[in-house]
Amino acid sequence: MLKTILIGSVGSSKVFLEEMIKLNFPVQMVFSLDEKFSEGVSGYEPIHKVAEKNGLPFKKFHKINRQENIDIIKEIGPDYIFVIGLSQMIPKEIIDLAKVGVVGFHPTPLPKFRGRAALVWQILLGIHDSKCTLFLINEGMDSGDILAQEPYTISDTDYVEDVRMKLQKAIVKLADKVLGQILDGTVNPIKQNENEATYLLVRRPEDGRIDWNKPIKEIHCLIRATSHPYPGAFGMYDGNHKIIVWKADILKNDKYIGIPGQVCKVTDEYFDVLCVDGILRVYDFENMDNVKIVVGHKLK
């Protein structure tokens, strides 16, 4: 009998688990990141609730590489371990416990864009046609053999949450394809071409700071890429008060003369910020210090 384990913590983990259940794919254990340790995990999902609802064994965890978790995996003796939507590195000790392999998920067309913050980076880079990948995890960074890929698109108006929704639809198709191949024994791993590999470096919340001297399309792109569930793009009002911009529109400027970052209009629903080549209308934002936004003042 095929034995498998799923380890996950976010929306893609939930979608993948739901597809496993829908296909009656055998799952002996679900490892779900404990809610207590979910702070800072963008798009966290308590997948143990899905497991519990469907009568699957589950264990909440903090660090997957702790001995108590390794012991459980060792006792099950899985053929496959699926690691879907987890930012923690999987140690060699766990990789070696899977009789066939450890399957990972990455939202890019590997070997291109290995690494961190893949959706954010792809929006910032202006990528329109992308693919998500299921691959065999090894000790490298997203460098194992590819099992399958599924395309999805990113438009110039998509916020990162829009892309996440498109990605989840692609995950369903990808899961159906690979899980079916595993069940009928037709899996055909393909080695990645190392010469084509590129790497996305980690992003920090401070990288969302808006440079108001940049073209307005670049500013808008940063806002779209880092919006919910990520930390957000932000400006410092009067240099001291953080205002996170969750959503904004680009408007033509034929009226205001001023300095980039200067507030040029304020209403109860929005405020407008002057940019070098247009006006940014901010209509969904978080005023961290609840300061009064006044025309003429600057976001720095």
Side-chain angles (χ1 to χ4, degrees):
M1 176 187 169
L2 185 68
K3 293 182 180 179
T4 72
I5 288 170
L6 174 71
I7 305 170
S9 64
V10 296
S12 57
S13 323
K14 181 173 181 280
V15 171
F16 199 90
L17 177 57
E18 287 171 342
E19 206 56 25
M20 293 173 106
I21 292 165
K22 180 181 166 187
L23 296 172
N24 291 316
F25 192 85
V27 182
Q28 273 65 42
M29 177 63 69
V30 174
F31 283 93
S32 172
L33 183 67
D34 198 313
E35 299 102 319
K36 292 184 288 187
F37 308 107
S38 63
E39 188 177 350
V41 177
S42 298
Y44 171 75
E45 283 285 350
I47 62 170
H48 51 270
K49 292 185 178 179
V50 176
E52 186 174 32
K53 181 181 175 183
N54 290 276
L56 294 176
F58 67 88
K59 183 183 185 299
K60 297 182 186 182
F61 71 92
H62 178 202
K63 298 290 184 184
I64 195 62
N65 61 359
R66 287 190 173 165
Q67 193 59 48
E68 62 192 75
N69 300 321
I70 291 171
D71 289 344
I72 292 170
I73 296 171
K74 197 177 292 184
E75 187 177 340
I76 292 170
D79 298 289
Y80 286 93
I81 299 172
F82 294 88
V83 181
I84 311 293
L86 186 71
S87 58
Q88 299 176 22
M89 292 296 290
I90 302 299
K92 186 175 186 297
E93 188 174 1
I94 289 180
I95 293 173
D96 290 344
L97 290 176
K99 293 174 186 172
V100 181
V102 178
V103 178
F105 171 79
H106 198 63
T108 75
L110 294 176
K112 201 169 185 181
F113 303 143
R114 295 173 178 174
R116 307 291 293 277
L119 293 189
V120 176
W121 275 120
Q122 287 186 105
I123 294 173
L124 291 174
L125 291 167
I127 303 298
H128 292 117
D129 298 311
S130 190
K131 293 178 184 177
C132 53
T133 305
L134 281 175
F135 66 103
L136 293 175
I137 290 177
N138 56 24
E139 291 182 86
M141 180 186 284
D142 305 323
S143 57
D145 294 356
I146 292 170
L147 300 180
Q149 295 183 323
E150 184 66 33
Y152 65 97
T153 60
I154 303 170
S155 81
D156 288 331
T157 57
D158 279 344
Y159 282 77
V160 70
E161 186 59 29
D162 300 319
V163 181
R164 277 160 50 88
M165 293 302 104
K166 291 179 179 180
L167 183 62
Q168 288 190 3
K169 290 179 181 178
I171 292 169
V172 170
K173 293 180 181 178
L174 194 58
D176 285 353
K177 192 186 301 181
V178 172
L179 295 176
Q181 289 173 351
I182 288 172
L183 288 173
D184 62 24
T186 59
V187 179
N188 182 30
I190 298 169
K191 287 198 176 301
Q192 294 189 38
N193 184 343
E194 288 298 320
N195 294 327
E196 296 178 357
T198 58
Y199 295 88
L200 305 172
L201 300 183
V202 66
R203 291 185 61 85
R204 308 290 184 195
E206 61 265 26
D207 298 324
R209 186 163 187 152
I210 297 169
D211 180 350
W212 297 98
N213 291 299
K214 296 258 187 175
I216 196 167
K217 284 189 175 178
E218 286 189 34
I219 293 171
H220 193 242
C221 189
L222 178 65
I223 292 165
R224 292 188 294 106
T226 61
S227 192
H228 296 298
Y230 295 104
F234 66 94
M236 299 302 292
Y237 183 79
D238 285 343
N240 297 310
H241 307 287
K242 188 174 185 178
I243 294 180
I244 301 174
V245 181
W246 296 118
K247 287 192 175 180
D249 288 335
I250 295 174
L251 305 179
K252 186 178 177 182
N253 179 27
D254 52 14
K255 189 178 293 188
Y256 298 102
I257 299 167
I259 297 162
Q262 204 163 14
V263 177
C264 54
K265 185 176 181 180
V266 180
T267 75
D268 291 340
E269 288 80 36
Y270 62 84
F271 66 90
D272 292 344
V273 184
L274 190 67
C275 298
V276 292
D277 54 351
I279 289 171
L280 190 76
R281 175 156 292 175
V282 179
Y283 60 89
D284 185 354
F285 61 95
E286 196 168 344
N287 187 339
M288 302 299 283
D289 296 330
N290 291 314
V291 293
K292 185 177 181 182
I293 299 172
V294 178
V295 169
H297 287 237
K298 294 175 191 169
L299 286 159
K300 299 179 180 178

